[in-house]
Amino acid sequence: MNDNRNVILAIVLSMAVLFGWQFFVAGPQLERAQQQAQIAAQQQADADAALATPTAQGEAAAAPASTGVKVFSSRQEALAASQRVAIETADLEGSISLTGARIDDLRLKQYRETVAPDSPVITLLTPQGVPDAYFVEEGWVPAAGANIAVPNAQSVWRVEGEAGPLTAQSPVTLAWDNGAGLTFRRTISLDEHYLFTVSQTIENHGQGDVALYPYARVIRNGTPHVANFFIQHEGPHGVLGSNNLISKKYTDLQNERQATYESTTGWLGFSDKYWATAVMPPAGTTMNARFSWSNGSGYDDYQTSYVETAPVVVAAGASATRESYLFAGAKEEAVISAYQTEYGFDRLELLIDWGWLHFITKPMYYLLTFLYGILGNFGLAVLAVTVIVKGLFFPLANRSYASMAAMRRVQPEMKSIQERLKDDRAAQQQAMMELYRKEKINPLSGCWPILIQIPVFFSLYTVIFISLDMRHAPFFGWIQDLAAPDPTNIFTLFGLIPWDPSVVPLLGGFLHLGVWPVIMGITMWVQMRLNPPPPDPTQAAIFNWMPVIFTFMLGTFPAGLVIYWAWNNTLSVAQQWFIMKRHGVEVNLLGNILNSFRRKKADEPAKS
């Protein structure tokens, strides 16, 4: 039984070390070759709309949107370079550029960069011409061979009617005339949260029919900083019909350059940890979608774009209208679910990365938010959910620990067999099995309950990690942001020594160790002392050092996760002590702790 438990523990700890390595090292950086030219081959539409990305006025849409664009020294200078229509709602503020009719200035009023009340609000979208440009563009693509002037990034639109601002009650209408019989109108409306509805109308005052394809794209200049943690995806992604969820790392897209999905449906955009953008046609509309990257302007240029496969045909003297949608805002589960239900967007809920175990993770999230509404503190809600989950799994834990108790009762006989038959491995195993049969012990009966619990607790861990509710949520004492690391540090004597340990070469990343990680390490160490140390010296050394390793590993983890881990360890100690006592097994916790120190002292003279 002990061997099986050690194997399971080794597997779990190995997984923990792997994702810890992934978190701290932030993944291997792949060396890529110098790009000699931007992605060529202008994308043309034909009668069958075999088009993956938009083209406008001869500009290749797969190429950087920044080609030939003026560079600005600051975001403020870029905003001042064009006339704008203001955006003002309870959740959003920003503006729409009349040059290109782009939505390129957006800030999230309900979220700030830090916990300080005067901290700047989160900036989501930024105009073109600055290194971190991030904006949305919509428009029309003419059919192949058609010489039709359509609005592009340099087109200056005019405001019709009220000059703004764009609010949840007041849409804005922009117009542009191509001087050749076509008038383009774009009515942009916004709900109370984060959904833009873009209604594009073409009026044909010419002599012949016109066929144009609607497109939309999200453009991001520069590679943003991401946690690169396997629990949550950050980067280009989308749900594209039968292709299902497509998630790409920025480095993946740099290697692929382009990834095209033809004749599909759905949506695509970019996802950050807490914020996201996504463009989408009406539900069920067939489109050609593309993820692309280029570096022709000296910095990374990422795009997610789609073109509808069916053209909008406008007869002479007639008009036609086509709608599309843009999500740009915080990844609030209730808001996103409401959009999916109301508009029928295909699996828009996957803007939030619920992970492979989403069927467990989402109910866990609902339970967590329900308790949050009752308790009024997200940290207390985490502690309460942990207690509930522990309670639900108590029967399994009882069975597991009962098996462990039975194994401990026969431990003297097991040791006797190991000593007596130490030179005959086969006979030793046979004697062990005979002992199990005699005592009616199943060595695996204590392992399966542990294995069943792992996905559930991993799902709870995932919810805590990805939850927007935990961001800037206070706990008690010095923890004012559960999504940030514990701000205290024992290596600065909690601020008494004026130096930054993180600047130390190689070791700096491990020299942030707050109070809560230390508490977590102590609870983990105490939990391991519930059982006598294993007789094997190597296993004993691993068990002794594991709490220390985990303490330093979790030093830079979000405080909410560390508090959860410490609380879970504490509950496990209490639960195991209670069940062991219930089954008549002596739990000499203090004696095991003292013995661990005596073993160390006894080993020192032997080494010397």
Side-chain angles (χ1 to χ4, degrees), residues 146 161 219 291 343 369 440 453 486 499:
I219 300 167
F291 300 90
Y343 295 90
T369 53
K440 298 180 180 180
Q453 295 178 61
D486 187 326
W499 77 298

Side-chain angles (χ1 to χ4, degrees), residues 187-200:
T187 299
I188 304 172
S189 57
L190 177 60
D191 74 347
E192 296 179 350
H193 299 293
Y194 310 116
L195 189 67
F196 293 81
T197 301
V198 181
S199 180
Q200 297 193 90

Side-chain angles (χ1 to χ4, degrees), residues 277 442 468 534 597:
T277 55
N442 181 359
L468 177 61
F597 289 106

Side-chain angles (χ1 to χ4, degrees), residues 72-92:
F72 300 99
S73 60
S74 67
R75 188 176 188 277
Q76 290 69 27
E77 184 182 353
L79 289 172
S82 64
Q83 292 183 307
R84 295 185 166 271
V85 176
I87 299 172
E88 188 67 42
T89 69
D91 288 343
L92 298 175

